[in-house]
Amino acid sequence: MKKKIGILTGGGDCPGLNPAIRGCVYAAEKYGYECVGITDGWKGLIEGTTTPLSREITEYIIMKGGTMLGTSRTNPFKQDSDENLKKCLETFKKLDLYALVAMGGDDTLGVATRLYKEHKLNLVGVPKTMDNDLSVTDYTFGFDTSVTRAMEASQALLDTGASHHRVMVLEVMGRHAGWVALYTAIATAADFVCIPERQIDTAAMLKKIKDAYARKRFALVVTSEAAELPAAGEDNIKHQLDQFGHRILKDRGMGEHIASFIEKNTGIETRNAVIGHMQRGGAPTLFDRMLATRVGLKAAELVHTGQFGTMSALVGNKFVGVPLEKATGQLKTVDKEWFDLMGLLF
Ligand code: F6P
């Protein structure tokens, strides 16, 4: 009887999950394992819902966005009782899993870390997130595709902004880290960028925009959905939280706040656009297909060599196993080195 590896994808989807599943299945079968998909993230492990996986089934998913396994933001450790956790452990047993490969960001891998440490399950992680904010891996797949999509949107805004002599504001995702906003802004020669790591210096922003407008009669600002604008008056707004305790930012309207702040304080006509979930879907870029395939392959190797409690990571030019705990301990956010670079570019 072949040993069985379960694979699940949790948290927000992103392009690259399908290539990663495929890579993991291909390598696992080569090593002599069979694979089964757990559907909809940790929810599937609680409810015991599965879907078959094989080389044949995954052959052509490398070019598809989303995840063929489905996903959810379910947190089995969330409930007051340990009912859901118990169900996860039962499913693991019932499915006769030798190991489980969990593909996700900080939240999903945080659950994987606890299942490994506290319940001695054979867990291996695969890093994914369009936010690119996981530590101990140089990049996470999903980021390159999302930024590419945001970059295209930003460039389109430049065209229309230049024609109408307006200030254009683009809002992109990025819950705790400003990587998507920063890369998009750099790549499209924006005049100002707003990221959650640094409160917006409104005087500096207005000056940059006025100067840019005087020079070329349009200006572009890229903001993360999570940026802080002191004038937005958010202090009294109660935010909804997801199962992992994160603020849900979809109705926050930071791009809109920034656009009306700019228009009010400069007198220049300003428009804003939100790219939203469009940056999370669609075909993965070449970079993401390759990165995802390789972290998927590596995850199967980590299982095969018994390196449980680790995550496959890109470090330099190498794919290595790193402790899951290190990957989830602290988010990778925009730091001083990048602030200096921002000073030069914006
Ligand atoms: O997964 C990360 C992320 O894309 C964040 O950038 C964003 O704030 C959040 O997910 C949106 O989540 P949802 O798809 O649940 O609205």
Side-chain angles (χ1 to χ4, degrees):
M1 267 257 290
K2 286 183 177 173
K3 285 182 180 167
K4 209 191 291 173
I5 300 178
I7 302 177
L8 66 78
T9 56
D13 69 334
C14 72
L17 281 166
N18 284 326
I21 295 164
R22 179 178 182 267
C24 189
V25 169
Y26 271 47
E29 288 193 1
K30 271 266 157 62
Y31 293 130
Y33 299 87
E34 70 171 293
C35 293
V36 61
I38 316 291
T39 58
D40 300 334
W42 296 117
K43 182 168 181 276
L45 199 65
I46 294 168
E47 295 172 0
T49 51
T50 63
T51 187
L53 279 178
S54 68
R55 192 182 169 103
E56 288 69 34
I57 291 170
T58 58
E59 186 172 3
Y60 285 109
I61 63 171
I62 193 163
M63 60 283 280
K64 294 209 170 98
T67 161
M68 67 161 288
L69 297 178
T71 187
S72 70
R73 293 198 187 273
T74 303
N75 179 2
F77 289 98
K78 164 83 173 58
Q79 311 305 331
D80 296 336
S81 81
D82 56 3
E83 199 49 35
N84 282 343
L85 176 62
K86 256 178 38 210
K87 286 184 184 164
C88 283
L89 303 178
E90 274 163 26
T91 306
F92 200 94
K93 238 192 183 156
K94 204 151 74 196
L95 293 177
D96 194 23
L97 296 182
Y98 169 64
L100 178 62
V101 173
M103 302 184 173
D106 191 46
D107 297 333
T108 306
L109 298 183
V111 172
T113 309
R114 289 188 67 178
L115 288 175
Y116 165 71
K117 277 188 72 179
E118 296 167 23
H119 301 278
K120 312 287 170 244
L121 298 188
N122 290 347
L123 253 300
V124 163
V126 170
K128 74 86 222 183
T129 164
M130 63 152 284
D131 291 349
N132 201 33
D133 58 2
L134 268 180
S135 296
V136 230
T137 184
D138 292 353
Y139 278 97
T140 53
F141 62 78
F143 176 65
D144 188 68
T145 310
S146 298
V147 171
T148 302
R149 221 133 274 154
M151 186 179 77
E152 285 159 6
S154 190
Q155 249 162 253
L157 290 183
L158 273 180
D159 291 345
T160 167
S163 305
H164 283 267
H165 314 299
R166 286 171 171 158
V167 178
M168 304 304 288
V169 178
L170 174 68
E171 179 190 306
V172 298
M173 281 184 175
R175 191 163 41 198
H176 300 292
W179 298 113
V180 178
L182 181 59
Y183 273 51
T184 305
I186 292 175
T188 55
D191 298 291
F192 201 79
V193 61
C194 309
I195 55 174
E197 290 86 345
R198 251 201 347 196
Q199 205 178 63
I200 303 169
D201 178 343
T202 48
M205 178 172 75
L206 294 175
K207 178 166 175 2
K208 289 267 161 164
I209 290 164
K210 283 183 192 159
D211 289 352
Y213 197 83
R215 238 178 21 249
K216 54 189 177 175
R217 295 185 68 212
F218 66 87
L220 174 69
V221 175
V222 179
T223 180
S224 153
E225 61 182 351
E228 299 287 338
L229 178 69
E234 273 199 304
D235 295 353
N236 299 322
I237 301 173
K238 255 201 149 181
H239 288 281
Q240 249 183 297
L241 300 180
D242 70 14
Q243 289 205 5
F244 288 89
H246 302 294
R247 277 194 315 174
I248 296 176
L249 299 172
K250 70 179 173 53
D251 297 325
R252 191 158 175 255
M254 193 36 61
E256 205 180 323
H257 285 307
I258 290 174
S260 60
F261 179 81
I262 291 171
E263 190 168 274
K264 214 163 106 202
N265 289 281
T266 62
I268 307 167
E269 195 173 33
T270 305
R271 295 284 189 270
N272 88 288
V274 184
I275 171 173
H277 287 81
M278 272 179 277
Q279 71 208 283
R280 281 238 307 258
T285 55
L286 169 68
F287 182 84
D288 276 342
R289 289 180 205 196
M290 295 303 296
L291 173 61
T293 298
R294 297 207 57 193
V295 284
L297 292 167
K298 184 72 191 180
E301 185 197 307
L302 292 172
V303 170
H304 189 53
T305 51
Q307 296 182 63
F308 301 115
T310 62
M311 174 186 91
S312 56
L314 173 66
V315 179
N317 256 337
K318 300 241 174 313
F319 287 86
V320 294
V322 295
L324 260 174
E325 220 171 345
K326 272 198 174 170
T328 56
Q330 202 185 357
L331 284 180
K332 181 175 71 190
T333 52
V334 178
D335 58 13
K336 161 95 175 59
E337 199 185 325
W338 284 94
F339 293 161
D340 293 346
L341 210 107
M342 283 163 70
L344 296 175
L345 288 171
F346 301 107

